[in-house]
Amino acid sequence: MSVNKESKPTTVSLADEEGVKRILIDTIFGLWATVNNLTRLQPSKRERYRVTVFGSERTQPGHWVYQEVKQKCAALSAMGCDIVTGGGSGLMQAANEGAQEAGAAERVQSIGIRVELPFEQTVNPFVEQAFEHQTFFTRLHQFVLMSDAFIVAPGGIGTVLESTMIWQLLQVRHLHDTPLIFTGQMWKGLVDWATQMMLRPGFELASAEDMKIPRCVDNAEQAIAIVREHRARWQIAQGKRT
C-alpha cells in the first residue's frame, strides 16, 4: 500500500503571512549560500598586491597622523602595492592621496570601498576606482576578498569593527598568511587589554596564539618593512620577479 506524502503547494497566497515569511527566509538564505559559494572561486594567480588601510574619517589634512599615513601609502605605492580604503575622508583620504601622488614606476591603483549611510558620504577625490555597498557586511567581505595585507591606523568604532573582523578571520583560519598590522599606541593598548582580560587563568576566552596575530608597530617604517617582506614572498608564490 502506498502512502501519499504531503506536498508543498506550488503557490502561496500573500494573505498567508507565515507562508510568505518562510519563502522570503528560504530565498535570502539561498542567495547567501550562492554568493558564498561563488566567492570560493579565486584566480590561481593574482596580478596585483593590495594593501588595505583602515583608519578614522575624522582626522583632517595637516594633522601629523594624516601626513604619516599619506607618506606611508606613497612608499607602499612606490613599492608596487595598490592601496585600498573605505574611500571616505580623513585617514582614508590620506592613504588614497599618498597612493595617487607617489608617482610609482609601476602603475598602482587607488581604490575606495564605500558603504551607504543615512548621512551624506562622498568618495574622496583621490580614489580612482570606487565600489558602493548598501551594507557593512558585504563591504567587509569585499575588503577580505581583494586584500593581501591590512594596516590599521588610528580610528574609532568603525575601524575597531573592521580590524577585529580581520583578526577573527585569521584566528579561525578563514584568512591565511595575511598581515594584520596595528600602528600606534592605541592598538597596542587594545591588544594588551585583550591579553589581560581574555587570558585570565581559569577563565580563558582565547588562546595566547590569538594575541600574536596582530603585529603591533610604533611607526610607518616598521609597517612598511612587514609589508615588504610579505610582498616578496607573495611575488615568489606568484612566479614574479622580486
Side-chain angles (χ1 to χ4, degrees):
M1 182 176 66
S2 63
V3 178
N4 290 328
K5 295 182 179 178
E6 185 180 350
S7 60
K8 293 182 180 179
T10 56
T11 60
V12 174
S13 169
L14 291 177
D16 179 0
E17 187 175 332
E18 287 303 315
V20 170
K21 257 196 243 181
R22 281 196 304 272
I23 288 177
L24 290 173
I25 290 170
D26 289 347
T27 301
I28 289 170
F29 276 102
L31 287 171
W32 280 345
T34 298
V35 171
N36 285 336
N37 206 31
L38 288 172
T39 57
R40 292 168 56 201
L41 299 173
Q42 296 291 323
S44 57
K45 292 188 181 295
R46 297 177 65 140
E47 290 300 316
R48 314 185 72 86
Y49 185 94
R50 287 177 169 152
V51 178
T52 286
V53 178
F54 295 135
S56 172
E57 190 166 28
R58 303 187 183 197
T59 307
Q60 297 304 309
H63 193 285
W64 70 269
V65 175
Y66 186 103
Q67 294 304 121
E68 182 176 81
V69 170
K70 177 181 171 181
Q71 292 168 5
K72 172 170 56 186
C73 290
L76 291 170
S77 296
M79 195 190 303
C81 303
D82 291 347
I83 299 297
V84 184
T85 75
S89 57
L91 299 183
M92 293 176 279
Q93 176 173 308
N96 291 126
E97 183 178 358
Q100 194 179 92
E101 293 185 358
E106 178 183 344
R107 179 61 180 152
V108 300
Q109 295 179 346
S110 179
I111 300 166
I113 306 177
R114 301 295 297 138
V115 64
E116 184 178 307
L117 294 173
F119 45 89
E120 184 177 356
Q121 294 281 303
T122 57
V123 177
N124 74 64
F126 302 100
V127 168
E128 298 171 352
Q129 184 179 18
F131 299 90
E132 298 285 344
H133 288 263
Q134 292 186 325
T135 70
F136 281 97
F137 310 108
T138 58
R139 176 181 183 240
L140 285 168
H141 199 187
Q142 185 173 4
F143 279 126
V144 171
L145 289 175
M146 73 187 313
S147 305
D148 299 291
F150 296 88
I151 295 178
V152 186
I157 294 170
T159 308
V160 171
L161 167 69
E162 294 158 346
S163 56
T164 52
M165 177 189 169
I166 302 304
W167 190 350
Q168 187 196 27
L169 291 177
L170 287 163
Q171 177 202 28
V172 299
R173 297 179 178 82
H174 280 207
L175 281 177
H176 304 274
D177 189 29
T178 304
L180 173 61
I181 306 165
F182 284 165
T183 58
Q185 288 302 307
M186 70 171 292
W187 299 118
K188 184 178 184 302
L190 175 66
V191 176
D192 288 344
W193 171 85
T195 302
Q196 179 184 356
M197 301 306 295
M198 297 182 189
L199 300 183
R200 287 174 287 178
F203 191 46
E204 293 85 354
L205 304 172
S207 72
E209 292 303 312
D210 296 336
M211 299 301 122
K212 298 177 183 177
I213 291 172
R215 305 278 299 274
C216 294
V217 300
D218 295 325
N219 53 52
E221 289 74 20
Q222 292 171 336
I224 291 167
I226 293 171
V227 172
R228 180 181 291 110
E229 179 186 351
H230 183 262
R231 183 173 180 268
R233 296 201 310 270
W234 175 87
Q235 287 179 305
I236 293 171
Q238 302 296 315
K240 296 176 179 289
R241 292 181 180 178
T242 57

